[in-house]
Amino acid sequence: MNDDTDLAVRPHERDPEDERALVDDPAFVEHVAQAIEAGRGDDLRGLIADFHETDLARLLEALPAPARPKLIELLGADFDFTALTELDETVRVQILEELETKTVVEGMRDLDSDDAVYILEDLDDADKQEILGQLPITERAALQRSLDYPEESAGRRMQTEFIALPPFWTVGQTLDYIGETEDLPETFFEVFVVDPTYRLTGSVPLDRLLRTKRGLKLGDVVTPDRHVVQATDDQEDVARVFERYNLISAPVVDSAGRLVGVLTVDDIVDVIQEEADEDVKALGGVAADEELSDSFWTIAKSRFSWLLLNLIAANLASFVIALFEDELQRLVALAVLMPIVASQGGNAATQTMTVAVRAIATRELRASNARRVIARELLVGLFNGVVFAVIMAAVVFARFGVADLGFIIALAMIINLVAAALGGILVPLTLNKMGVDPAVSSGPFVTTITDVIGFFAFLGIASLWF
């Protein structure tokens, strides 16, 4: 990559792995930025026109903010708007706000309905209605119907392009229709069978359709769908159904049982990734919608409340320590060893809490097996407590030569690890029963429990013993 010519020629010779390498190359990104600044649309097409949408999205994020909408405008019809679905929400909204409405409308016409809804749903109502108002009435109605469903519901995720035919059609008619019709969904796995009111009666998978005699009617070979999704179902619950029954696709119906869309496994993969991302962020005290591209002020505000809660918890632990100020002054070793007990309990509680929160989210931890799981975690905490108690007793005796101090920290270690195990599972279960998301709220409560009990057990036992 010594000059501009090398960069321009390379796209015709590269494979997809080359694209990923180019996007990560600062020199290539800089070259693209220069082509944008100079308005060289033809050079830009030669560089990135064949990029996969994911790599195109990564390139957009790597470019300076002012260059992003310019790239889309220079590429025109050659820009794949599907790439916008791969962007962080903040970056996507910024780009859409900078683009002309006409450009957005033209780009969205080639998108699947689920991708179009994904792009539109983050815009404010005024921008959303302005874009919808310039779309053909049939497309506008389909997108508006999806947008009217609750956020994170199946109706928001579904694709409204599908093949639905009456039961009196023959297999031959159906195959001819599929082969001769141009305006079909980009990807589909079955033909849905509906009655005159568009109520779903079942589906015929494509593999069965191809192996069935042409003269048979769809009504004779249709299979009732056992995993029909309601449009208002939560997307996480739907993802769990896909995972449990190894589904590739599922029909979506409205409250009257009419077929309104279809969910495919690629949609569900995105849902699973989003939900896992939300849980991981929540456990760390980060807002579910926080992105790397967010501004300083947005991130600072979203993290403040969590840090404030932790500060209150830390002050509570500090208050417990202050109760034993005299003992700490008499025996400095207590101050040296005190953080060990709390830290070990905090780590053990985090392990238990992480497993419990994830099990609650996947419905693996339920009322029917809660007692068994609690008892198991209690035994694990007790076992680890005894083992680490013996280790710490030996370490303390070797360092300070005081057998009594070794016994005190050993007993405190057992108490705190048992408390950590119980707190790590009981806190998420209790919050979930109260209707509070345990992923968001468990951390501060569990940390407070282990700190307070750890300090109180160690210093309290030392105070009584000495």
Side-chain angles (χ1 to χ4, degrees):
M1 196 174 295
N2 297 321
D3 53 38
D4 291 357
T5 303
D6 293 337
L7 283 165
V9 171
R10 182 177 295 187
H12 302 291
E13 303 170 352
R14 64 180 180 247
D15 60 25
E17 290 192 7
D18 290 331
E19 292 181 7
R20 289 191 287 272
L22 282 173
V23 171
D24 294 331
D25 186 342
F28 177 78
V29 175
E30 177 61 26
H31 185 70
V32 171
Q34 290 174 1
I36 294 170
E37 185 66 26
R40 299 197 304 267
D42 291 338
D43 289 350
L44 205 56
R45 288 182 181 86
L47 288 168
I48 63 174
D50 297 329
F51 267 35
H52 186 273
E53 66 233 25
T54 303
D55 296 312
L56 188 54
R58 291 178 61 196
L59 176 62
L60 280 169
E61 291 182 339
L63 288 169
R68 294 164 182 164
K70 291 180 181 178
L71 179 147
I72 297 173
E73 290 168 351
L74 284 170
L75 287 181
D78 293 324
F79 179 79
D80 184 358
F81 261 66
T82 310
L84 297 184
T85 65
E86 303 291 334
L87 294 172
D88 284 352
E89 178 186 331
T90 304
V91 175
R92 180 169 60 251
V93 171
Q94 287 174 347
I95 291 174
L96 290 171
E97 288 177 346
E98 293 293 327
L99 289 173
E100 295 288 337
T101 302
K102 181 181 178 181
T103 304
V104 179
V105 171
E106 290 298 324
M108 289 182 59
R109 282 183 174 172
D110 295 328
L111 293 180
D112 290 336
S113 58
D114 53 340
D115 290 332
V117 169
Y118 190 78
I119 290 174
L120 284 172
E121 64 182 351
D122 295 321
L123 298 175
D124 59 44
D125 289 338
D127 292 337
K128 196 182 302 178
Q129 294 306 319
E130 185 179 359
I131 293 170
L132 287 171
Q134 296 189 30
L135 288 170
I137 189 167
T138 53
E139 293 180 31
R140 184 196 319 161
L143 294 178
Q144 187 63 63
R145 181 173 58 185
S146 294
L147 289 167
D148 287 340
Y149 287 114
E151 193 173 350
E152 297 192 348
S153 66
R156 282 287 185 96
R157 282 289 184 181
M158 69 183 181
Q159 180 177 319
T160 56
E161 297 89 6
F162 50 84
I163 300 176
L165 300 172
F168 55 79
W169 271 39
T170 65
V171 170
Q173 283 178 289
T174 302
L175 292 174
D176 291 341
Y177 171 78
I178 293 174
E180 296 169 2
T181 306
E182 294 183 2
D183 189 20
L184 290 177
E186 185 177 340
T187 303
F188 59 95
F189 304 96
E190 68 274 287
V191 170
F192 296 108
V193 181
V194 295
D195 67 13
T197 62
Y198 235 72
R199 284 184 172 84
L200 179 70
T201 60
S203 63
V204 182
L206 290 181
D207 58 339
R208 181 185 303 168
L209 198 66
L210 293 170
R211 291 196 297 259
T212 302
K213 294 180 180 179
R214 292 178 59 87
L216 287 175
K217 294 181 179 180
L218 293 180
D220 297 329
V221 295
V222 67
T223 301
D225 284 292
R226 292 186 298 166
H227 306 295
V228 178
V229 175
Q230 294 291 324
T232 52
D233 286 350
D234 185 88
Q235 63 178 16
E236 190 173 3
D237 295 332
V238 176
R240 198 168 295 114
V241 173
F242 267 72
E243 180 183 10
R244 183 177 302 155
Y245 297 106
N246 298 318
L247 303 180
I248 298 176
S249 65
V252 182
V253 299
D254 62 14
S255 57
R258 291 186 295 264
L259 183 66
V260 292
V262 59
L263 280 168
T264 53
V265 69
D266 59 313
D267 303 314
I268 299 304
V269 169
D270 291 338
V271 170
I272 292 172
Q273 183 179 0
E274 285 179 15
E275 296 294 342
D277 183 61
E278 287 182 9
D279 288 345
V280 170
K281 287 179 178 177
L283 284 171
V286 177
D289 58 353
E290 181 176 316
E291 304 287 355
L292 286 176
S293 55
D294 286 347
S295 67
F296 148 78
W297 183 241
T298 301
I299 294 175
K301 285 192 299 182
S302 69
R303 295 184 185 180
F304 178 82
S305 57
W306 183 271
L307 292 174
L308 179 61
L309 197 57
N310 276 278
L311 181 63
I312 295 171
N315 275 276
L316 182 58
S318 175
F319 175 75
V320 172
I321 295 172
L323 295 176
F324 301 96
E325 185 178 356
D326 293 340
E327 284 72 18
L328 287 170
Q329 290 178 351
R330 285 201 303 268
L331 192 57
V332 177
L334 292 177
V336 175
L337 298 171
M338 177 177 62
I340 297 175
V341 179
S343 174
Q344 197 73 353
N347 288 330
T350 299
Q351 290 176 331
T352 304
M353 179 185 69
T354 302
V355 174
V357 167
R358 189 60 189 153
I360 291 171
T362 58
R363 306 294 193 271
E364 294 178 44
L365 182 56
R366 305 177 301 275
S368 58
N369 64 353
R371 285 190 178 183
R372 177 176 59 81
V373 176
I374 292 171
R376 185 200 65 190
E377 292 298 330
L378 182 60
L379 287 175
V380 170
L382 181 60
F383 174 79
N384 285 334
V386 170
V387 172
F388 287 110
V390 172
I391 294 172
M392 278 308 302
V395 170
V396 169
F397 182 73
R399 285 183 63 186
F400 300 100
V402 182
D404 290 1
L405 195 55
F407 169 77
I408 290 168
I409 196 169
L411 187 57
M413 187 75 74
I414 294 172
I415 292 172
N416 203 26
L417 261 69
V418 170
L422 285 174
I425 191 167
L426 289 178
V427 168
L429 282 171
T430 303
L431 290 172
N432 186 60
K433 192 170 184 179
M434 294 169 60
V436 179
D437 186 356
V440 176
S441 309
S442 296
F445 290 109
V446 172
T447 301
T448 302
I449 289 171
T450 55
D451 284 351
V452 170
I453 292 180
F455 292 139
F456 195 85
F458 181 55
L459 296 176
I461 293 169
S463 178
L464 292 173
W465 188 270
F466 290 114

